[in-house]
Amino acid sequence: MADAYWDAEFDTMPWDELRTWQRGQFAAFLAGLAKSSPFYAQRLDGVPVDQAGSTAVWAAVPFTTKDDLRAGQQAASTDALLGDLQGVDNGDIVQVVASSGTTGVPVFFGLTDADHQSWLDSVANMFFTAGVRRDSVVALTTGMPLVAGGMPYADAVRRIGATLVWVGGQTTARMATIMQKLKVDTLIGTASFATFFAGRCEEVLGVPADQLSVHTVIAGGEPGMGQEAMRERVRSGWGADRISEVMGLCDVMPGMWAECAEGRGMHFTAGRNVFVELVDPTTGEPVPWEFDAHGEAVYTTFTRQATAVVRFRSRDHVRVVGTDCPCGRTSPLIRCVGRTDDMLIYKAMNVFPSAIRDVVVDGFAAEIAGPLRLRKAHADQVRFDEAIPLEIELPESHSPGSTGDLGDRIETAVLERLRVRVAVEFLRRGAIPVGEYKNALTYVGQ
């Protein structure tokens, strides 16, 4: 392992060359999957898998959605532990992980020993790219071992050789105390929790977070840390000299994208095990990996044995923000814009909650406390015919009745930027609950 890269061969391989190599793995991978997994035997029926490396044949391979996986697991035709998706014997599964269930019933995935080793290596690459080193003391704030950000993250931190301090699942006060005592220098959490936690440390410890030892903040699990105003809030709150956004999916690989020290966007770090496509979210047609391209990320796990996914529609909408980087990594650089599952409709306009957040944080960060949320009338509400209720916490020095024209200015900014109306409601500091796992800064359905 070179000091600059975890996997120098794949991190620096020209992007087109990497994708050609990956396509060369498809024929054998799909042929084996069609024999081992009842779910994919049915879906690949009629597809000439021996020619899967060709663009035309690959386009005929059907997309897979989370609902497809859920149905394949719930309506199993065999005694397989993980339903028809499973491609190995029960005895070959050494670990089970689960999607978070934030958008429906959780889907469970299995790992063979070989799968586990692949996960260790790829997720370690993500964290190494994001700044974790052997001498790092790393606080992991996830409190749920079964999900992608739990055991897989912990294993990967240990794989690098860093000191793991798994503080998740405890009270905020105890987490802060442990971090202070053990001189934690790297914090891993969601974007919203990293922001929230910094603001609570002084209340607990009597000293602000920027007087602790944290110099690197690694944030994922939700869009947001690519937004400069939020990065600056986290940077100043912790006194950090490095902010790294990361992204992965339990369905595919818990760690696949990470920012290097340049901080210009996230590199793809799972090329040894995962193929990623960019497609038009409406038509499914391929979108070239070019600067400023927008599309949905679609993944194929061409080395995974226990529960592979093929052309999995992540519902993550991404934008290509660069195609080269001084660090020498050769994958495109991306930012995540939002998720289809989170999208709301205001009259005829589609809007991501993250877009509303970006407008507010970008223009008014100095006047608000940080946490925001969009309020629904019911959990399944997507469409809004009236202005969307937007709750915003105020700093401790302010009260909801002393905001002047701030609400009007925020509503006007959102309307001008997004052509969407919001109705701002101010709350006192601490009114919006924020936990350590996927509590989106801008969206809590009620």
Side-chain angles (χ1 to χ4, degrees):
M1 182 182 66
D3 183 61
Y5 310 107
W6 179 260
D7 187 345
E9 178 185 4
F10 280 77
D11 287 348
T12 62
M13 187 182 296
W15 183 244
D16 288 342
E17 186 178 322
L18 170 63
R19 294 173 68 74
T20 297
W21 176 84
Q22 291 173 328
R23 288 185 181 279
Q25 316 304 306
F26 289 169
F29 165 64
L30 291 187
L33 191 60
K35 295 177 181 177
S36 63
S37 165
F39 176 84
Y40 278 110
Q42 181 179 21
R43 295 179 69 80
L44 295 172
D45 186 34
V47 176
V49 295
D50 60 326
Q51 303 171 44
S54 77
T55 303
V57 172
W58 187 251
V61 176
F63 291 115
T64 305
T65 68
K66 178 66 77 65
D67 286 341
D68 293 331
L69 299 180
R70 189 175 289 117
Q73 195 155 88
Q74 293 177 342
S77 61
T78 69
D79 293 329
L81 181 65
L82 302 171
D84 287 352
L85 182 64
Q86 185 171 315
V88 298
D89 293 336
N90 288 343
D92 292 328
I93 296 175
V94 299
Q95 185 175 336
V96 172
V97 292
S99 63
S100 64
T102 54
T103 58
V105 177
V107 178
F108 296 93
F109 300 92
L111 302 177
T112 64
D113 185 63
D115 292 337
H116 184 241
Q117 295 303 314
S118 296
W119 276 35
L120 274 177
D121 193 60
S122 284
V123 184
N125 191 3
M126 179 186 76
F127 283 137
F128 188 88
T129 302
V132 176
R133 295 294 186 270
R134 183 175 178 80
D135 60 355
S136 300
V137 182
V138 182
L140 177 60
T141 61
T142 306
M144 303 164 63
L146 192 62
V147 301
M151 189 67 75
Y153 273 23
D155 285 346
V157 170
R158 288 189 290 251
R159 173 72 178 85
I160 293 172
T163 301
L164 174 68
V165 182
W166 198 345
V167 296
Q170 305 185 66
T171 66
T172 302
R174 186 163 178 78
M175 291 169 69
T177 301
I178 292 171
M179 288 176 58
Q180 182 185 45
K181 183 175 181 60
L182 296 179
K183 296 181 173 58
V184 163
D185 57 44
T186 303
L187 176 70
I188 298 175
T190 61
S192 54
F193 187 70
T195 308
F196 152 82
F197 193 21
R200 298 295 191 264
C201 277
E202 186 168 7
E203 301 170 15
V204 173
L205 303 174
V207 296
D210 62 9
Q211 292 185 24
L212 301 183
S213 302
V214 174
H215 61 69
T216 299
V217 176
I218 300 173
E222 60 198 21
M225 203 47 76
Q227 211 273 340
E228 187 53 42
M230 186 177 294
R231 293 171 76 88
E232 181 54 36
R233 181 182 289 273
V234 172
R235 186 182 292 112
S236 61
W238 288 101
D241 53 31
R242 180 165 179 181
I243 308 294
S244 296
E245 187 176 28
V246 297
M247 187 169 74
L249 288 170
C250 181
D251 320 69
V252 183
M253 175 75 72
M256 295 185 288
W257 299 90
E259 278 189 275
C260 68
E262 297 292 330
R264 300 182 178 186
M266 292 184 285
H267 293 278
F268 191 60
T269 59
R272 191 178 285 273
N273 298 293
V274 179
F275 178 71
V276 58
E277 304 171 70
L278 193 63
V279 305
D280 183 295
T282 302
T283 66
E285 291 298 311
V287 175
W289 289 98
E290 299 173 347
F291 176 71
D292 205 34
H294 292 248
E296 178 185 345
V298 174
Y299 299 100
T300 297
T301 59
F302 58 85
T303 65
R304 192 152 155 189
Q305 299 173 336
T307 45
V309 293
V310 177
R311 304 200 79 195
F312 178 74
R313 297 198 64 157
S314 68
R315 304 303 187 189
D316 286 328
H317 290 231
V318 305
R319 178 169 66 93
V320 179
V321 296
T323 55
D324 56 24
C325 184
C327 79
R329 293 176 176 83
T330 50
S331 82
L333 293 159
I334 68 159
R335 292 291 186 198
C336 185
V337 177
R339 302 206 71 205
T340 301
D341 298 319
D342 293 334
M343 186 179 286
L344 304 176
I345 303 171
Y346 171 73
K347 296 187 177 179
M349 295 296 299
N350 293 338
V351 61
F352 288 112
S354 56
I356 297 175
R357 180 216 44 228
D358 289 352
V359 173
V360 177
V361 175
D362 186 49
F364 307 94
E367 300 176 78
I368 64 175
L372 308 90
R373 67 179 174 188
L374 302 179
R375 193 179 67 245
K376 292 180 169 186
H378 53 81
D380 297 327
Q381 184 179 12
V382 174
R383 184 175 299 278
F384 291 80
D385 294 318
E386 303 295 333
I388 304 171
L390 173 59
E391 299 177 344
I392 302 176
E393 279 192 15
L394 292 170
E396 291 181 354
S397 58
H398 292 68
S399 67
S402 64
T403 56
D405 66 347
L406 178 59
D408 292 337
R409 288 188 285 123
I410 292 174
E411 291 171 1
T412 299
V414 173
L415 180 61
E416 289 179 349
R417 287 268 298 274
L418 304 176
R419 295 178 11 188
V420 167
R421 291 190 181 276
V422 296
V424 172
E425 303 172 12
F426 291 111
L427 304 177
R428 293 185 180 277
R429 171 85 169 183
I432 298 175
V434 181
E436 78 277 2
Y437 192 72
K438 288 194 177 182
N439 285 298
L441 186 61
T442 58
Y443 174 67
V444 179
Q446 294 193 339

